[in-house]
Amino acid sequence: MKKNVFSLMILFLLVITALRAQENTTETNKTYENPILRGFYPDPSICRVGDDYYLVNSSFEWFPGVPIFHSKDLVNWKQIGHVLDRPEQLQLNEGLRASRGIFAPTLRYHDGLFYMITTCVGCKGNFYVTAKDPAGPWSDPVWLNTPGIDPTLFWDDDGTCWYVGAHNISGKREWEGQNGVFIQQLDLETKQLLGEPVQATFGHATNAVWGEGPHLYKVNGRYLLMIAEGGTSFNHAITVFESDKVNGKYTPSNINPVLTHRNLGRDYPISAVGHCDIIQTQNNEWWAVMLAVRLCKGKNLLGRETYLVPMEFEDGWPLFNRGVGKVRFEEKRPNLPWTPVESYPVRDEFDDDNLALKWVFLRTPYEKWYDISKGKITLDTRPQMMTKLEQPSLLAQRISEFSFESFTKVNFNPANDNEEAGFVAVYNNARNFRLVKSSENGENVVKLYRVKEGDEKLVAMERVKSGNLILGLKANKLKYQFYFGKDKTSLQPIGDIQDATVNASQSGTDFTGPMIGFYTSSNGYESINKAEFDWFEYDAK
């Protein structure tokens, strides 16, 4: 009897401790930090199903396409898959240019089904896929014979589905950069667009440029069209329009742009705010997700990221961050149950038979050239090169912070001087670094290459012995320092400090973000060699 009472007391104390811990956690998380998705996660689109929230992002030339996330509180997000994870869904073929591929997906839910609609630029154009479970599997694409980019779907109260896309349907421009948004009915049974498209707007002003990224809502019986304008760089902005008819004339708001940072100066730490989607919570709060750029000494080192901003409606128009009117790094969190998610470990030991969802390929792999076994991943050394528009033996993940350390352990024995394997930091084929084990006149060496605007330079070379090698870099804002060694305790620098902006966006037409990973290539020659990687680690500071 005493034993049972003692056990009940222990159980009671454990429950009280857990409840207090949960209380304390809630108390200490009154605010959240922006961006909510850090690193290359642009063009967010969001939907809610009950108490669950789902979000997708653009992925451009990286495969699988369209990462999809789940959250309970709009702040903590866990990746649950990729919408386009099969080659038959997404053909990002060799020759596809950087910053092409998947543009601006929209995620919606209607009548028990999830819809993701997007554009594959350099592929076949606009299409949508569906799924009952947002984690997949998703259907094969339904291709739509319609021009333009950045499509979205909207269901009216009567169940009619409308396609909203970014395009100047006249085919003529009265001013440079004139682009707009059009609306057309979509029959989901025949999977065909019906009737004639109607040009809803060219933007909020007579000289507005690059109207795109539309989303259509119905709020208090009125149709509200929200678009991005000004290009996706410094002049990016969010504008809104209203109509009393879904495919009628849309009138711009007098308070446009409703949100932008272009008026804050080029040195403001959050830049290029735009491309917005909004959601109403089960507690009747309104929140907006959008892309923006976190600057480091005026440079875009991380790509466009996903931010969360409180909003409400005033006089029928969206009001972002009342009394502030801009995006901030810290905000009061939504009135939702705080639900943290487990982050990826610093080191990936490759203990699972499947790759972690953070890993992506450069363009679509039509053959499996890697194998995971016994806590190691082995890559086939193939002729394809990361410095060309090819599909190389490369796996990469996003860089999420200005300062970090990243290393990998590689076991590679080059059979010829043309073979190499090791660590890479890559923005695209024309801007990247690779630190690789190779051979020079038959001797084992480690080489550091820098490719800047397509110009490749051998920065440094050091002789090494056969066997395992640790390769990687330490990043400190605008500075990259590469290292090599037999183990982590004997690392030595190779080459001078490198300019991190080589591995970063250089203009408003660079749509992706910097990545790090591992790679092997025989540089245009056939090979039967393989490179074995024991682990890969990324430690953000």
Side-chain angles (χ1 to χ4, degrees), residues 198-222:
V198 174
Q199 190 83 53
T201 182
F202 287 117
H204 81 288
T206 55
N207 62 344
V209 297
W210 304 121
E212 57 190 14
H215 290 118
L216 184 60
Y217 315 93
K218 196 171 188 179
V219 182
N220 296 326
R222 182 181 62 158

Side-chain angles (χ1 to χ4, degrees), residues 46-66:
I46 191 170
C47 75
R48 175 173 74 89
V49 182
D51 296 343
D52 295 286
Y53 297 85
Y54 301 96
L55 185 148
V56 293
N57 299 98
S58 295
S59 48
F60 297 93
E61 70 263 32
W62 295 94
F63 182 95
V66 189

Side-chain angles (χ1 to χ4, degrees), residues 61-64 84-96 120 122-124 141 143 361-370 380 382 384 389-394:
E61 70 263 32
W62 295 94
F63 182 95
L84 307 172
D85 58 5
R86 306 188 305 274
E88 56 265 35
Q89 292 175 305
L90 181 59
Q91 290 88 46
L92 303 172
N93 295 327
E94 292 192 345
L96 181 74
C120 190
C123 312
K124 295 181 182 178
W143 295 96
F361 305 85
L362 189 53
R363 303 178 187 86
T364 304
Y366 292 103
E367 58 182 278
K368 189 177 179 184
W369 38 255
Y370 70 92
D380 293 345
R382 300 157 57 234
Q384 287 84 352
L389 300 179
E390 298 179 334
Q391 203 288 300
S393 294
L394 181 153

Side-chain angles (χ1 to χ4, degrees), residues 484-499:
F484 73 101
K486 292 298 293 181
D487 52 53
K488 290 290 290 289
T489 62
S490 62
L491 292 174
Q492 54 184 302
I494 179 169
D496 298 329
I497 291 175
Q498 299 297 307
D499 179 7

